Amino acid sequence: MDGLSYALTALTTPTIVLSAAGGVLWGILGGALPGLSPSIAMALVLPFTFDMSPLAAIIMLTSVYIGAEYGGSIPAILIRTPGTNAAAATVIDGYTLHQQGRGGEALGLSLVAGTIAGLVGLICLVFLTKPLAMVALYFTPPAYFALAFLGLSIIAALSEGSLIKGLIMGVIGLMLAMVGTDPLSGAPRFTFGEPDLLGGIDYIFVMLGVFAVAELMNKVATPDDGAGGVIKNTVTRMRLPGLRKMWELRRAQTIGTGLGIIEGPIPGAGGTVAAFLSYNEAKRWSKTPEKFGHGSEEGVVAPEAANNAVTSSALIPTLSFGIPGSNSMAILLGGLLIHGIQPGPMLLSNRPDLVYGLFGGLFMANIFMLILGMLVLTPCIWLVNRPKPYLTACIMMVVLSGIYSINQSLFDFWIVLVAGVVGYVMRRLEFPVLPLILGIVLGYMIESSYRRSLLLTNGDHIVFLQNPLSLGLLCCAALIIGLAAYAEVRKARKPQDMHG
Amino acid sequence: MRATFIVSCLLFLLAVAYWLGADQISVSRLAGGVGADGMPKLLAVALGVLSLALATQTFFQMRAGKLAAPADPVKEGDEPTNWHQHARAMGLIVLGGFYILLLPHLGYMLSSMLMLGGVSFYAGLKPSLRMLVFAVIGGVVYYLIFTRILGIPLPSGFWPRLF
C-alpha cells in the first residue's frame, strides 16, 4: 500500500505532472526529427533537470524516452523516414497505408497500440522486475549470437518475394557493419585511411539515405500529376481506432507487446530488434499475411506495440543492476547518478518513494503520450499534405540538418547521399531495403558475440548448442528460415503445376 | 531483367573486391580463433555465391521470357520509367553535394535558404516572390530550431568575420 501512496503522491504533484507532460512533448518532437535519436533528445534535456527534484528529473528523462520512441513513427508513416531506429519496421506498412490515403488511420493505430503497449509494459515493470532481470543475466555471448541470428532470419520474411535478393541485401548490410575498428583486436577494417570511418558507419545514416533521400529522389523524378504531389483521397485528420478495431488487431498487439517486454531488458537488443521480430511474428500468425507489405494494419500495430513496450521493460536492468542496455538508458543512468541515486538491487528497499513515484510518473507519461499525440498528429498530417515542391525542400532540409546534428561531420552527408543513390537504384531493381538495415543493425552484435563465444571455448562451436537459451533461439531461427524456403519453393512450383 | 543480371555480375565483382580488402586486414593474436578478417571473408563468399545464384536465376528467367512480378509498394503510375527521370532523381543528389560544399563557407542559415529555394524550384515550383519568402523564412526557422533551440553547433561560415 505504501507503494501505491508513493505513486499517487507523484500523480498529484504539479511539478511532476508538468515534467511528464513536458518530457513527452519534447520526446515526440525529438523522435519525429530524423537524426535526433531518443538518447540525443534525452541528453539535450539533461542539463535542465539539474535543479529539479530527483523524482521530477527522472520522470522527465523517462518521459522524453517514451515520447521519442513513439515520435519516430510519425515521419516513418508520413514521409517514409523513420525518426528513430526502432521505427524502421513501421515504414513498411505505415507508409503504404499513407499512400493509400489512410495515413490518419495508421497514425491513430500506432498511437493507440503504443499507449496500450506502454501501459502493459509498465504493469510488467511493476510486477516482473525481478524475474525479467534474471532473464537478462542468462544472456551470455552464445545467446547474444543466437538472438542476433534470429533477428537476421527475419530477412526471409522481409524479402518481398525474392529470397535471394533479400539475402544479398542482408549480406551487404553485414558487410557495411564490418567497416571501422574490429571489436576485438582494434584493427581498422575497410577504412581506406579515412578517420571518419574508424567508428564505423552509423546505421541511422544508411536509414536516412535508403528511406528518406531515395524517396525524395523518387518524388522529384515522378512527373507532377496536377495535384501538386498531394496524395489523393487522403484524410486530413488523425483517426483513432475504435474498440472493435483494436479487438480485431489484438493478436498483433499481443505479439508486439509481449516481444517488446521480453526484448527490453536484454542489453543491446532494444526496440529495433523487437519491432522487426514482432512484424515477422505478427505476419506469421495473421489471418491475412498477404496484406503485409501492402498496407496491413497489423503491420503497423505489431512493431509500434513492440518499440513502446520496450520503453518500460528497458528500465528493468538499469534500475535493478545499474546496467544500461542502450544509449538512452545510459543517459538515464547518468541522470540518476547526478542526483545521487545509486541504482542496484537495493534501490527498491532504499528508495521506495523514488521507484514507486517513477512508476506513477511512467503511467502519466503514457497517458500524456496519447493526449499530446492526438494534438500533434493532425498538424503533422496537414504539413505533409502541402504541395510537393515545398514538402520535398522541407524534408530534404530536415534530413540534412539532422545528419549534421549527430556528429557535426560533413563526411556523414556523403554517406547519406551515397546511401540515397543505392536505395534509389535498389528500389528500381526491386531489391528489398529492409534486410540491408537489419544487417547493419545486427552486424556488430552478431560478429562480436560469435567471436567472444569462440574465445571462451578455444574455437569450439559446440558452445552454441550447449547453452539452452542459444539452442532454443537457433532452433527458432532455423524454423523461420526453413518455413520461408519452403514457401519460396512452393511459390516457384505453383505456376509449373498450373501449366502441368 | 537485364539490369538485374548486370547488377548481379557487379555484385560478384564487389564480393571479389571485398575479399581482397579483407585479405589486407592485419590479424592480431588478440583476435582469437576467428581473426578480424574472418567474418568479412565469410561475407565475401556469401555475397559471391548469392550473386552467382541471382545471375543464374535471372539468366534462365530471361531465356524462359518470364516477367518478374513487381514487388514495389509504390503506385505503378509513380514509377520513373526512363533515363530522363533517373537523371532528374540524381539531380537532387547533385544539389545535396553543392549544399555540403557551400555549408562551411556560407554558414547554415544562408545555405539552408539556398537549399530550400533550390530544391523547391527543382521539384517544380516556379520562381516567384512566394518561393523567395518560403526560402528565407524556412532558413530562419531551421536556424532557430537547430541552432537556437536544440543548441547544435552548425557551421556559421563567413558571418563571424564580418561582425
Side-chain angles (χ1 to χ4, degrees), chain A residues 335-369:
Chain A
L336 287 164
L337 295 173
I338 285 167
H339 287 277
I341 302 155
Q342 185 64 50
M346 299 305 289
L347 183 65
L348 191 61
S349 47
N350 290 344
R351 294 294 305 271
D353 57 321
L354 189 103
V355 176
Y356 286 107
L358 176 63
F359 293 160
L362 287 173
F363 174 76
M364 248 184 314
N366 277 289
I367 300 301
F368 277 128
M369 186 176 97

Short mmCIF file of all heavy atoms in Angstrom, two decimals, chain A residues 335-369:
data_model
loop_
_atom_site.label_atom_id
_atom_site.label_comp_id
_atom_site.label_asym_id
_atom_site.label_seq_id
_atom_site.Cartn_x
_atom_site.Cartn_y
_atom_site.Cartn_z
N GLY A 335 21.61 10.52 -15.29
CA GLY A 335 20.68 11.38 -14.56
C GLY A 335 20.48 10.91 -13.13
O GLY A 335 20.45 11.71 -12.19
N LEU A 336 20.38 9.59 -12.96
CA LEU A 336 20.22 9.01 -11.61
C LEU A 336 21.44 9.34 -10.75
O LEU A 336 21.31 9.76 -9.60
CB LEU A 336 20.03 7.49 -11.70
CG LEU A 336 18.68 6.97 -12.22
CD1 LEU A 336 18.78 5.51 -12.61
CD2 LEU A 336 17.59 7.14 -11.17
N LEU A 337 22.63 9.13 -11.32
CA LEU A 337 23.87 9.33 -10.56
C LEU A 337 24.08 10.81 -10.23
O LEU A 337 24.56 11.14 -9.13
CB LEU A 337 25.07 8.78 -11.34
CG LEU A 337 25.06 7.27 -11.56
CD1 LEU A 337 26.19 6.84 -12.48
CD2 LEU A 337 25.16 6.51 -10.23
N ILE A 338 23.70 11.71 -11.16
CA ILE A 338 23.84 13.15 -10.91
C ILE A 338 23.03 13.54 -9.67
O ILE A 338 23.44 14.38 -8.87
CB ILE A 338 23.38 13.95 -12.15
CG1 ILE A 338 24.45 13.88 -13.25
CG2 ILE A 338 23.08 15.42 -11.81
CD1 ILE A 338 23.99 14.35 -14.61
N HIS A 339 21.89 12.89 -9.51
CA HIS A 339 21.02 13.21 -8.36
C HIS A 339 21.34 12.33 -7.15
O HIS A 339 20.53 12.26 -6.20
CB HIS A 339 19.56 13.09 -8.77
CG HIS A 339 19.11 14.22 -9.65
ND1 HIS A 339 18.72 15.44 -9.15
CD2 HIS A 339 19.05 14.33 -10.99
CE1 HIS A 339 18.42 16.25 -10.16
NE2 HIS A 339 18.61 15.60 -11.28
N GLY A 340 22.46 11.66 -7.18
CA GLY A 340 22.91 10.88 -6.02
C GLY A 340 22.14 9.60 -5.79
O GLY A 340 22.10 9.08 -4.67
N ILE A 341 21.50 9.10 -6.83
CA ILE A 341 20.74 7.84 -6.69
C ILE A 341 21.58 6.71 -7.27
O ILE A 341 21.99 6.76 -8.44
CB ILE A 341 19.39 7.92 -7.44
CG1 ILE A 341 18.59 9.10 -6.90
CG2 ILE A 341 18.61 6.63 -7.31
CD1 ILE A 341 17.59 9.63 -7.89
N GLN A 342 21.85 5.70 -6.45
CA GLN A 342 22.67 4.57 -6.89
C GLN A 342 21.74 3.42 -7.29
O GLN A 342 21.11 2.81 -6.43
CB GLN A 342 23.60 4.14 -5.77
CG GLN A 342 24.59 3.05 -6.16
CD GLN A 342 25.56 3.51 -7.25
OE1 GLN A 342 26.18 4.56 -7.14
NE2 GLN A 342 25.67 2.73 -8.31
N PRO A 343 21.59 3.14 -8.60
CA PRO A 343 20.72 2.03 -8.97
C PRO A 343 21.34 0.69 -8.56
O PRO A 343 22.56 0.59 -8.43
CB PRO A 343 20.63 2.13 -10.49
CG PRO A 343 21.43 3.29 -10.89
CD PRO A 343 22.26 3.73 -9.75
N GLY A 344 20.52 -0.30 -8.38
CA GLY A 344 21.02 -1.62 -8.00
C GLY A 344 19.93 -2.39 -7.28
O GLY A 344 18.80 -1.89 -7.11
N PRO A 345 20.27 -3.61 -6.84
CA PRO A 345 19.25 -4.45 -6.21
C PRO A 345 18.62 -3.82 -4.96
O PRO A 345 17.50 -4.16 -4.58
CB PRO A 345 20.03 -5.72 -5.84
CG PRO A 345 21.27 -5.68 -6.65
CD PRO A 345 21.58 -4.25 -6.93
N MET A 346 19.35 -2.91 -4.31
CA MET A 346 18.84 -2.33 -3.06
C MET A 346 18.00 -1.06 -3.31
O MET A 346 17.50 -0.47 -2.36
CB MET A 346 20.02 -1.97 -2.13
CG MET A 346 20.87 -3.15 -1.73
SD MET A 346 19.90 -4.46 -0.98
CE MET A 346 19.50 -3.69 0.58
N LEU A 347 17.87 -0.65 -4.57
CA LEU A 347 17.19 0.62 -4.84
C LEU A 347 15.75 0.61 -4.33
O LEU A 347 15.28 1.58 -3.72
CB LEU A 347 17.21 0.91 -6.35
CG LEU A 347 16.58 2.24 -6.78
CD1 LEU A 347 17.37 3.43 -6.25
CD2 LEU A 347 16.48 2.34 -8.30
N LEU A 348 15.05 -0.52 -4.58
CA LEU A 348 13.64 -0.60 -4.18
C LEU A 348 13.48 -0.50 -2.67
O LEU A 348 12.56 0.15 -2.17
CB LEU A 348 13.02 -1.90 -4.70
CG LEU A 348 11.52 -2.01 -4.60
CD1 LEU A 348 10.81 -0.93 -5.40
CD2 LEU A 348 11.05 -3.38 -5.06
N SER A 349 14.38 -1.15 -1.91
CA SER A 349 14.25 -1.10 -0.44
C SER A 349 14.79 0.23 0.13
O SER A 349 14.26 0.73 1.12
CB SER A 349 14.95 -2.30 0.21
OG SER A 349 16.22 -2.46 -0.35
N ASN A 350 15.83 0.81 -0.53
CA ASN A 350 16.38 2.07 -0.01
C ASN A 350 15.54 3.29 -0.39
O ASN A 350 15.40 4.21 0.42
CB ASN A 350 17.81 2.29 -0.55
CG ASN A 350 18.79 1.31 0.05
OD1 ASN A 350 18.49 0.68 1.06
ND2 ASN A 350 19.94 1.18 -0.56
N ARG A 351 15.04 3.30 -1.62
CA ARG A 351 14.30 4.49 -2.10
C ARG A 351 12.95 4.08 -2.70
O ARG A 351 12.70 4.30 -3.90
CB ARG A 351 15.13 5.25 -3.15
CG ARG A 351 16.41 5.89 -2.67
CD ARG A 351 16.16 7.03 -1.68
NE ARG A 351 15.27 8.07 -2.18
CZ ARG A 351 15.69 9.14 -2.86
NH1 ARG A 351 16.97 9.31 -3.08
NH2 ARG A 351 14.83 10.05 -3.27
N PRO A 352 12.06 3.50 -1.90
CA PRO A 352 10.76 3.10 -2.48
C PRO A 352 9.97 4.30 -3.00
O PRO A 352 9.23 4.18 -3.97
CB PRO A 352 10.03 2.43 -1.32
CG PRO A 352 10.70 2.93 -0.08
CD PRO A 352 12.11 3.22 -0.46
N ASP A 353 10.16 5.47 -2.37
CA ASP A 353 9.45 6.67 -2.82
C ASP A 353 9.81 6.99 -4.27
O ASP A 353 8.95 7.33 -5.09
CB ASP A 353 9.79 7.87 -1.92
CG ASP A 353 11.31 8.12 -1.89
OD1 ASP A 353 12.08 7.14 -1.87
OD2 ASP A 353 11.72 9.29 -1.91
N LEU A 354 11.10 6.81 -4.59
CA LEU A 354 11.56 7.14 -5.94
C LEU A 354 11.07 6.11 -6.96
O LEU A 354 10.56 6.46 -8.03
CB LEU A 354 13.09 7.19 -5.96
CG LEU A 354 13.64 7.72 -7.26
CD1 LEU A 354 14.08 9.16 -7.10
CD2 LEU A 354 14.78 6.88 -7.75
N VAL A 355 11.20 4.82 -6.60
CA VAL A 355 10.84 3.76 -7.56
C VAL A 355 9.33 3.78 -7.83
O VAL A 355 8.90 3.79 -8.99
CB VAL A 355 11.29 2.38 -7.03
CG1 VAL A 355 10.83 1.27 -7.97
CG2 VAL A 355 12.80 2.34 -6.89
N TYR A 356 8.52 3.82 -6.75
CA TYR A 356 7.06 3.81 -6.96
C TYR A 356 6.59 5.15 -7.57
O TYR A 356 5.64 5.20 -8.34
CB TYR A 356 6.33 3.49 -5.66
CG TYR A 356 6.47 2.04 -5.31
CD1 TYR A 356 7.29 1.62 -4.26
CD2 TYR A 356 5.81 1.05 -6.04
CE1 TYR A 356 7.45 0.29 -3.94
CE2 TYR A 356 5.96 -0.29 -5.74
CZ TYR A 356 6.79 -0.66 -4.69
OH TYR A 356 6.94 -1.99 -4.40
N GLY A 357 7.26 6.24 -7.18
CA GLY A 357 6.96 7.54 -7.79
C GLY A 357 7.23 7.50 -9.28
O GLY A 357 6.47 8.05 -10.09
N LEU A 358 8.32 6.81 -9.66
CA LEU A 358 8.67 6.68 -11.09
C LEU A 358 7.59 5.88 -11.83
O LEU A 358 7.19 6.24 -12.95
CB LEU A 358 10.03 5.99 -11.23
CG LEU A 358 10.48 5.67 -12.65
CD1 LEU A 358 10.67 6.95 -13.47
CD2 LEU A 358 11.80 4.90 -12.65
N PHE A 359 7.10 4.82 -11.18
CA PHE A 359 6.02 4.03 -11.80
C PHE A 359 4.80 4.93 -12.06
O PHE A 359 4.18 4.87 -13.12
CB PHE A 359 5.62 2.84 -10.92
CG PHE A 359 6.70 1.80 -10.78
CD1 PHE A 359 6.68 0.88 -9.73
CD2 PHE A 359 7.73 1.71 -11.70
CE1 PHE A 359 7.65 -0.08 -9.59
CE2 PHE A 359 8.73 0.74 -11.57
CZ PHE A 359 8.69 -0.16 -10.51
N GLY A 360 4.47 5.75 -11.05
CA GLY A 360 3.35 6.69 -11.21
C GLY A 360 3.62 7.67 -12.36
O GLY A 360 2.73 7.94 -13.17
N GLY A 361 4.84 8.15 -12.44
CA GLY A 361 5.22 9.09 -13.50
C GLY A 361 5.15 8.45 -14.87
O GLY A 361 4.73 9.08 -15.85
N LEU A 362 5.55 7.18 -14.96
CA LEU A 362 5.50 6.48 -16.25
C LEU A 362 4.06 6.29 -16.71
O LEU A 362 3.76 6.38 -17.91
CB LEU A 362 6.19 5.11 -16.13
CG LEU A 362 7.71 5.14 -16.02
CD1 LEU A 362 8.24 3.74 -15.74
CD2 LEU A 362 8.32 5.67 -17.31
N PHE A 363 3.18 6.03 -15.74
CA PHE A 363 1.76 5.90 -16.07
C PHE A 363 1.26 7.21 -16.69
O PHE A 363 0.63 7.22 -17.75
CB PHE A 363 0.97 5.55 -14.80
CG PHE A 363 -0.52 5.53 -15.01
CD1 PHE A 363 -1.14 4.47 -15.66
CD2 PHE A 363 -1.31 6.60 -14.59
CE1 PHE A 363 -2.51 4.47 -15.87
CE2 PHE A 363 -2.67 6.60 -14.80
CZ PHE A 363 -3.28 5.54 -15.44
N MET A 364 1.64 8.32 -16.01
CA MET A 364 1.23 9.63 -16.51
C MET A 364 1.80 9.89 -17.91
O MET A 364 1.13 10.42 -18.79
CB MET A 364 1.78 10.71 -15.57
CG MET A 364 0.72 11.43 -14.81
SD MET A 364 1.41 12.75 -13.83
CE MET A 364 2.79 12.09 -13.02
N ALA A 365 3.08 9.53 -18.08
CA ALA A 365 3.74 9.79 -19.36
C ALA A 365 3.02 9.08 -20.50
O ALA A 365 2.85 9.65 -21.59
CB ALA A 365 5.19 9.35 -19.29
N ASN A 366 2.57 7.85 -20.26
CA ASN A 366 1.85 7.11 -21.31
C ASN A 366 0.51 7.75 -21.63
O ASN A 366 0.10 7.79 -22.79
CB ASN A 366 1.67 5.64 -20.89
CG ASN A 366 2.91 4.83 -21.19
OD1 ASN A 366 3.22 4.56 -22.34
ND2 ASN A 366 3.65 4.48 -20.15
N ILE A 367 -0.17 8.26 -20.59
CA ILE A 367 -1.45 8.94 -20.83
C ILE A 367 -1.20 10.25 -21.60
O ILE A 367 -1.92 10.58 -22.54
CB ILE A 367 -2.18 9.23 -19.49
CG1 ILE A 367 -2.44 7.91 -18.75
CG2 ILE A 367 -3.48 9.99 -19.71
CD1 ILE A 367 -3.29 6.91 -19.49
N PHE A 368 -0.15 10.97 -21.20
CA PHE A 368 0.19 12.21 -21.91
C PHE A 368 0.57 11.93 -23.37
O PHE A 368 0.32 12.74 -24.24
CB PHE A 368 1.33 12.96 -21.21
CG PHE A 368 0.87 13.80 -20.06
CD1 PHE A 368 1.45 13.70 -18.81
CD2 PHE A 368 -0.17 14.72 -20.22
CE1 PHE A 368 1.02 14.47 -17.74
CE2 PHE A 368 -0.61 15.50 -19.16
CZ PHE A 368 -0.02 15.38 -17.92
N MET A 369 1.20 10.77 -23.58
CA MET A 369 1.58 10.41 -24.95
C MET A 369 0.32 10.33 -25.83
O MET A 369 0.31 10.83 -26.96
CB MET A 369 2.31 9.08 -24.95
CG MET A 369 2.88 8.69 -26.30
SD MET A 369 3.82 7.18 -26.18
CE MET A 369 2.58 6.01 -26.71
#
